[in-house]
Amino acid sequence: GLSWCEYTLNVMFISICSKSKSVIITLPYLLFLQGWVRSVRPQKDNLFLHVNDGSSLKPLQVVASTHLNTRYLTFGCAVDITGTLEKSINKRQNVELHAQHIKVVGECNPVVSLYFKNESVRENR
């Protein structure tokens, strides 16, 4: 499968790295993402996640319906996400993944999760 890495948006095309070569895809694009949750922001109608698959320093924003949220979807957990990669309306990122399915494949110990959150807060001061 494709892994997303440093991407460039050119009109409605995006360059995505696939192991050893770049490929050009047309948005919207059906994508399967495996990675670790860096943040979870549930809101009234939508759930926003930042997910990192290790191919880039930048996380990918995932937008999902709140009905996909579970108590196991926490900072640090490992996830499989299927969705559509689309151009973002937000100026902070070029693209975002609109999730249709989220599966938590590895839970994160809440004590470990709390430790790393506290350490990142200290580093940002």
Side-chain angles (χ1 to χ4, degrees):
L2 295 173
S3 78
W4 74 281
C5 66
E6 295 298 328
Y7 44 78
T8 56
L9 190 62
N10 181 6
V11 190
M12 291 303 288
F13 292 92
I14 186 166
S15 176
I16 295 192
C17 294
S18 175
K19 301 291 181 198
S20 62
K21 62 180 180 178
S22 285
V23 295
I24 302 296
I25 62 170
T26 304
L27 297 178
Y29 184 80
L30 186 61
L31 185 70
F32 176 70
L33 173 69
Q34 294 178 305
W36 296 270
V37 174
R38 305 309 299 157
S39 71
V40 180
R41 295 184 326 272
Q43 295 184 351
K44 184 178 178 183
D45 297 322
N46 291 317
L47 173 67
F48 294 92
L49 308 172
H50 281 150
V51 178
N52 193 308
D53 70 353
S55 66
S56 170
L57 295 176
K58 289 181 168 183
L60 178 63
Q61 178 165 280
V62 177
V63 181
S65 172
T66 53
H67 81 274
L68 293 177
N69 197 3
T70 71
R71 68 185 189 110
Y72 303 109
L73 191 56
T74 60
F75 172 85
C77 71
V79 291
D80 289 349
I81 301 175
T82 303
T84 307
L85 192 65
E86 299 182 16
K87 184 176 180 178
S88 177
I89 59 172
N90 189 332
K91 301 288 186 218
R92 293 183 184 172
Q93 69 266 341
N94 293 331
V95 294
E96 59 193 17
L97 183 62
H98 291 250
Q100 289 132 5
H101 184 264
I102 299 174
K103 180 180 179 185
V104 175
V105 294
E107 296 176 39
C108 184
N109 181 332
V111 173
V112 172
S113 175
L114 182 62
Y115 173 78
F116 285 111
K117 278 187 180 177
N118 288 338
E119 286 300 310
S120 66
V121 168
R122 284 188 199 132
E123 290 174 8
N124 291 330
R125 288 187 185 171

